[in-house]
Amino acid sequence: IDGTPYEGKLSRTVWNGGKGGDYIKALPIVIPGDELEVWGGWTNHQTYGRQFKIAGFRKIVPTSLEAMEEYLASDLVKGVGKVTAKKIVENFGEESLQVCQKEPERLTLIKGISLKKAEEIKKNITEALEFQQVMMDLLPLGLTVKMSIKAYQKFGSNAVALIKENPYLLTKIPQVGFIKADQIAKNFNADPTSLDRVMAALEHLLFEEANSKGNLYSEREDLVSKCLELLNREQSEKLVDHNQVISALQQGAEQGKLILEGNNVYLSTFHFWECESAQRVKSLAVDNMREKEKEIEKELDGYQSRTGVLLTSHQQLAVKQAFEKKLSIVTGGPGTGKTQTIRAIIDIWSSLNQEAKILLAAPTGRAARRMKELTGMEAVTIHRMLGIGRGDDADIFEDVVADLIVIDEFSMVDIQLFYQLITAVDENTSLVFVGDTDQLPSVGPGNVLQDLIRAEIPCVVLNEIFRQARESQIVTNAHRVNSGDNLEVDQSKGDFFFIQESDGERVVELILKSVVRLIDAGYSAEDIQVLAPMKKTETGIDNLNKLIQKALNPQHINKRQIETKKEIYRVGDKVMQTVNNYDKEVFNGDVGVVYQIDEEQNLEVSFDDKIIKYTKDQLEELALAYAITVHKSQGSEYPVVIMPITTQHYVMLARNLLYTGITRAKEKVVLIGTKKAVNIAIQNNRVLKRKTGLTERINTSIIL
């Protein structure tokens, strides 16, 4: 190190010169026994002491027999293992790696290695060495280890050449972003006025509009202004001017990356989803004269006689609409009979056609399970129903043939999922979308449910609260919030509580006390969900998760834990999947419990009916879920909801957020905060209109 020989034992995580000695930062492609040449400098860490910060390194190809065996048996070379590695080295000695790479057929001389297996070993070693080389070349360029891994996964063996040619390709990698790519580009002395840089900035801003505000497009001049601000943010004088950005917009349109439509600028993908969805809606939004009106009336009477359930006039209209229209919508708040309406539609449909294929689906696993519990029929996620592809093939999905498809929690459906759904269904299928228009809109871009209603797709609004539901303060207060009225709380009824407290620290204390008391009363940690409007602040989910974990699942000498930069995970912790993982078949918003942590720091999570394994480098897909945002709670129901509502969250206080939070609870709601914050939320009904064109596209192409 720094030209000085260093004696010490190398592990995957530290280079340890003895207790209290020197440490070297973790390297993902290093295994015990490796010889390295590294360059960088020594630093002092506040907690860990003297560390060597690596700027770059070169891995020396194993030459000793022991090192070769270790290398072949390591997890860098898949499909070999310790026994096979030992046999290879015993047979071929110093030529082992060369034989594996250049003459794999010779491996068949070893008992148990077929020609197919030998070719697989060759492929895996070639990929491992290629991966190591790419990593060693990328790290000195300013990429982090995680970024380098993702760059290799995205661009393969050409990653280094491609990134050197255009460092802004890094913006295609999740979680890198324009700012980081811009910093790396400076290491190459990249031209700050290049078309690549301006295009990357434009695409970055359009993605930001979609991810943070749900917008599918931006107005041209607003986009140009923000682009200039971003590109010239660190300069005393402008490097990029207005004309250069306009020129980049035109070239982006010519290359098919951007769509310029009047004053609106779309990313081509978003424009495609919106246009294709509108065209498909056109073909489905027609009368479906499958059954005559008198027959449906007769079946409605029969259903009510059989079940003893009297449907309201609006519920009956929703049932008729499901038969008369190929595309229809049912909306309503809590206690208005949406589930009963779904049951009636399914029952009558089955009665008229016992061979009918009926599918039930929802955007999330939790929403699908809840749908199954309420209807008694199998329900799945929309992703699973469509067989949506994995990884880079996430836009590949299967056609779905059915007579009737009912989608619940439709307010959660964004434009991409809607495009996948609406283009996958057969033209003879009837679709019924069920949702609550007063909840928060989808986390992803678009505002599909509202856009369809504004386009006058047939819609029935259920607005009559059933008598039994009126007895619940959760239901009545949800409707009061929705109407702009103040809460009415009778704590003696035991289902709705408001605890007045303005001090943030005390609010946190009261949340913790409430959680502990509820557990003492017989509820489990999975039954209790703390919801907060924001991640940050004292009463945000980041702080609350750490404190609730400490209270319910503290560190223990006999309990394994894994520590990442952001979180500590222990067996028994409540966790949430934060991204869609098609390989594991777990999706954004799925909640589970840490079931096991093994000696190699792999973590297993129990998600209802399945156990999913995560390696340490996959833990970024998880987050603690004792407290989650209101947005993340959509589509789920919990026995108990505890929600801080304070002026710390002022920027997020809105009627639809409070309404959504309250309606997630089945048995109890506990609000902790101030009446002022509650009133701000109730009075703030200024829902930001998302920039979408779906309604207009449908209206210009549909004849109802």
Side-chain angles (χ1 to χ4, degrees):
I1 297 176
D2 287 349
T4 306
Y6 188 92
E7 296 296 333
K9 186 177 179 183
L10 178 67
S11 77
R12 290 299 301 276
T13 53
V14 296
W15 191 331
N16 189 349
K19 190 173 182 182
D22 304 325
Y23 293 84
I24 194 168
K25 270 196 165 184
L27 298 173
I29 60 172
V30 167
I31 61 172
D34 277 349
E35 292 181 58
L36 303 179
E37 181 183 338
V38 299
W39 52 94
W42 289 102
T43 61
N44 280 302
H45 191 279
Q46 188 175 355
T47 304
Y48 302 109
R50 198 164 183 243
Q51 285 189 320
F52 188 80
K53 187 174 183 181
I54 294 177
F57 73 101
R58 183 174 71 87
K59 184 171 178 177
I60 299 166
V61 176
T63 54
S64 72
L65 299 183
E66 183 183 359
M68 284 187 187
E69 189 176 322
E70 288 255 18
Y71 177 77
L72 288 170
S74 74
D75 56 5
L76 293 175
V77 182
K78 297 174 183 175
V80 177
K82 291 182 179 180
V83 175
T84 305
K86 187 176 182 64
K87 288 180 181 178
I88 292 172
V89 174
E90 284 176 349
N91 277 269
F92 301 108
E94 294 177 356
E95 294 183 326
S96 294
L97 289 181
Q98 184 179 343
V99 168
C100 289
Q101 281 187 276
K102 308 293 185 185
E103 304 171 277
E105 65 278 359
R106 291 176 63 190
L107 294 175
T108 59
L109 297 172
I110 299 172
K111 187 178 179 181
I113 300 183
S114 64
L115 184 58
K116 182 180 178 183
K117 178 73 171 176
E119 290 294 339
E120 185 184 331
I121 291 171
K122 173 190 174 180
K123 176 177 173 287
N124 290 338
I125 287 183
T126 302
E127 287 180 353
L129 291 171
E130 181 185 90
F131 170 59
Q132 291 174 53
Q133 188 59 54
V134 170
M135 289 291 291
M136 287 188 284
D137 290 342
L138 287 178
L139 288 171
L141 301 181
L143 280 75
T144 65
V145 169
K146 283 185 179 178
M147 286 166 57
S148 299
I149 292 171
K150 288 180 178 178
Y152 175 76
Q153 291 170 342
K154 180 76 174 175
F155 303 118
S157 59
N158 292 325
V160 179
L162 289 170
I163 291 168
K164 282 184 175 179
E165 183 182 346
N166 177 12
Y168 295 99
L169 286 175
L170 288 168
T171 59
K172 307 295 182 186
I173 298 172
Q175 301 171 337
V176 173
F178 177 81
I179 301 297
K180 185 64 180 176
D182 213 19
Q183 290 169 353
I184 291 168
K186 287 181 182 177
N187 297 339
F188 305 155
N189 295 316
D191 179 6
T193 65
S194 70
L195 175 64
D196 287 333
R197 183 171 185 250
V198 181
M199 274 301 305
L202 288 168
E203 290 179 308
H204 166 78
L205 289 167
L206 288 167
F207 271 115
E208 279 292 296
E209 281 289 300
N211 293 330
S212 63
K213 299 178 183 177
N215 294 330
L216 293 181
Y217 65 82
S218 291
E219 282 92 355
R220 184 190 300 238
E221 283 308 311
D222 183 48
L223 178 62
V224 171
S225 175
K226 287 178 180 176
C227 189
L228 287 169
E229 185 180 338
L230 178 62
L231 292 170
N232 297 318
R233 68 191 184 283
E234 295 177 353
Q235 309 300 326
S236 55
E237 57 184 53
K238 286 186 178 181
L239 289 172
V240 181
D241 62 27
H242 185 275
N243 289 336
Q244 286 171 294
V245 178
I246 293 295
S247 175
L249 280 173
Q250 295 296 336
Q251 290 186 61
E254 290 168 10
Q255 294 169 6
K257 294 178 180 178
L258 306 177
I259 302 295
L260 309 183
E261 197 174 72
N263 191 43
N264 301 335
V265 183
Y266 281 83
L267 285 168
S268 59
T269 307
F270 293 163
H271 187 267
F272 174 77
W273 290 339
E274 192 173 80
C275 290
E276 289 295 308
S277 297
Q279 282 299 112
R280 188 66 171 156
V281 167
K282 172 186 175 180
S283 66
L284 291 172
V286 294
D287 288 349
N288 178 19
M289 303 307 292
R290 190 189 302 260
E291 305 295 340
K292 294 180 180 178
E293 188 174 342
K294 287 184 179 178
E295 286 181 289
I296 300 170
E297 291 279 4
K298 181 180 177 183
E299 288 296 331
L300 271 168
D301 291 339
Y303 172 77
Q304 293 179 101
S305 298
R306 282 196 312 275
T307 62
V309 174
L310 295 178
L311 300 174
T312 67
S313 59
H314 283 84
Q315 286 177 307
Q316 292 186 45
L317 181 59
V319 173
K320 292 175 184 176
Q321 185 176 261
F323 288 89
E324 294 168 359
K325 307 290 182 182
K326 284 187 181 177
L327 189 61
S328 64
I329 299 169
V330 181
T331 74
T336 57
K338 293 194 297 295
T339 300
Q340 186 58 63
T341 305
I342 294 173
R343 288 195 193 111
I345 291 170
I346 294 169
D347 186 285
I348 294 171
W349 201 283
S350 300
S351 178
L352 285 168
N353 180 5
Q354 293 183 358
E355 301 300 316
K357 184 177 181 181
I358 300 172
L359 300 178
L360 308 186
T364 66
R366 276 186 163 253
R369 285 188 289 276
R370 181 166 156 247
M371 194 180 191
K372 179 180 178 179
E373 290 166 4
L374 294 172
T375 63
M377 273 188 67
E378 187 62 37
V380 297
T381 63
I382 300 173
H383 293 88
R384 181 169 290 184
M385 181 179 72
L386 301 181
I388 289 176
R390 300 173 175 181
D392 289 337
D393 294 327
D395 280 336
I396 297 175
F397 46 91
E398 301 168 1
D399 290 339
V400 178
V401 179
D403 296 287
L404 171 68
I405 298 176
V406 182
I407 308 291
D408 199 10
E409 295 289 351
F410 194 76
S411 62
M412 298 177 67
V413 173
D414 62 20
I415 189 63
Q416 180 182 10
L417 189 55
F418 182 61
Y419 157 73
Q420 292 167 329
L421 170 67
I422 203 73
T423 54
V425 297
D426 184 84
E427 285 199 358
N428 294 317
T429 301
S430 291
L431 282 165
V432 179
F433 300 146
V434 183
D436 186 342
T437 55
D438 296 311
Q439 286 186 28
L440 291 167
S442 58
V443 175
N447 199 1
V448 177
L449 179 57
Q450 293 282 12
D451 285 349
L452 292 177
I453 292 171
R454 288 196 301 118
E456 298 184 357
I457 299 302
C459 175
V460 172
V461 180
L462 305 178
N463 50 22
E464 182 179 332
I465 306 173
F466 285 85
R467 182 183 59 80
Q468 188 175 358
R470 286 199 299 269
E471 296 172 2
S472 163
Q473 289 188 99
I474 297 171
V475 171
T476 56
N477 275 321
H479 284 279
R480 291 187 68 80
V481 167
N482 203 31
S483 300
D485 299 324
N486 292 329
L487 300 176
E488 288 185 354
V489 180
D490 181 353
Q491 299 195 160
S492 66
K493 291 184 177 180
D495 63 349
F496 205 104
F497 302 86
F498 178 76
I499 303 173
Q500 174 79 20
E501 181 54 63
S502 59
D503 180 71
E505 192 174 327
R506 280 284 299 146
V507 169
V508 172
E509 287 177 16
L510 289 167
I511 290 170
L512 294 174
K513 283 183 179 179
S514 298
V515 169
V516 172
R517 284 175 182 168
L518 286 161
I519 286 177
D520 289 343
Y523 288 99
S524 69
E526 289 73 55
D527 293 333
I528 305 162
Q529 189 58 62
V530 178
L531 302 179
M534 298 170 69
K535 290 185 176 182
K536 305 301 179 184
T537 77
E538 195 171 22
T539 52
I541 67 166
D542 290 347
N543 186 47
L544 288 171
N545 267 317
K546 289 181 174 62
L547 295 173
I548 298 171
Q549 181 193 46
K550 186 177 179 181
L552 300 187
N553 195 20
Q555 185 174 0
H556 191 278
I557 193 169
N558 294 326
K559 186 178 288 186
R560 283 201 181 113
Q561 66 178 42
I562 296 178
E563 187 169 353
T564 69
K565 285 184 179 180
K566 294 183 179 179
E567 309 271 26
I568 295 173
Y569 297 108
R570 303 185 183 108
V571 173
D573 273 336
K574 185 177 178 182
V575 294
M576 173 180 279
Q577 177 78 15
T578 59
V579 295
N580 291 336
N581 188 317
Y582 299 95
D583 292 314
K584 296 182 186 295
E585 291 193 338
V586 286
F587 301 100
N588 191 352
D590 285 352
V591 174
V593 176
V594 177
Y595 176 73
Q596 181 174 298
I597 298 173
D598 65 24
E599 291 180 357
E600 296 178 356
Q601 296 280 280
N602 296 312
L603 181 146
E604 293 183 357
V605 179
S606 173
F607 290 100
D608 293 311
D609 57 345
K610 59 189 173 186
I611 293 176
I612 304 297
K613 187 173 183 177
Y614 296 81
T615 56
K616 192 167 184 180
D617 63 342
Q618 294 173 328
L619 294 182
E620 63 185 24
E621 294 186 10
L622 295 173
L624 289 174
Y626 296 106
I628 63 175
T629 62
V630 180
H631 273 93
K632 286 286 190 183
S633 73
Q634 287 176 268
S636 299
E637 264 194 347
Y638 315 94
V640 181
V641 164
I642 301 173
M643 188 173 172
I645 181 157
T646 72
T647 49
Q648 281 188 353
H649 304 138
Y650 184 86
V651 70
M652 293 292 290
L653 293 179
R655 184 183 297 179
N656 58 357
L657 184 135
L658 179 58
Y659 173 83
T660 302
I662 290 172
T663 55
R664 299 308 90 205
K666 291 191 287 188
E667 298 175 20
K668 294 181 191 297
V669 169
V670 181
L671 299 181
I672 303 173
T674 64
K675 290 181 180 178
K676 179 181 179 181
V678 172
N679 289 334
I680 290 171
I682 291 172
Q683 297 309 314
N684 179 13
N685 198 32
R686 297 186 301 276
V687 179
L688 290 176
K689 186 179 182 298
R690 294 187 168 188
K691 294 173 183 175
T692 71
L694 184 61
T695 298
E696 290 70 25
R697 294 186 199 284
I698 293 171
N699 283 342
T700 56
S701 59
I702 264 193
I703 300 174
L704 288 175

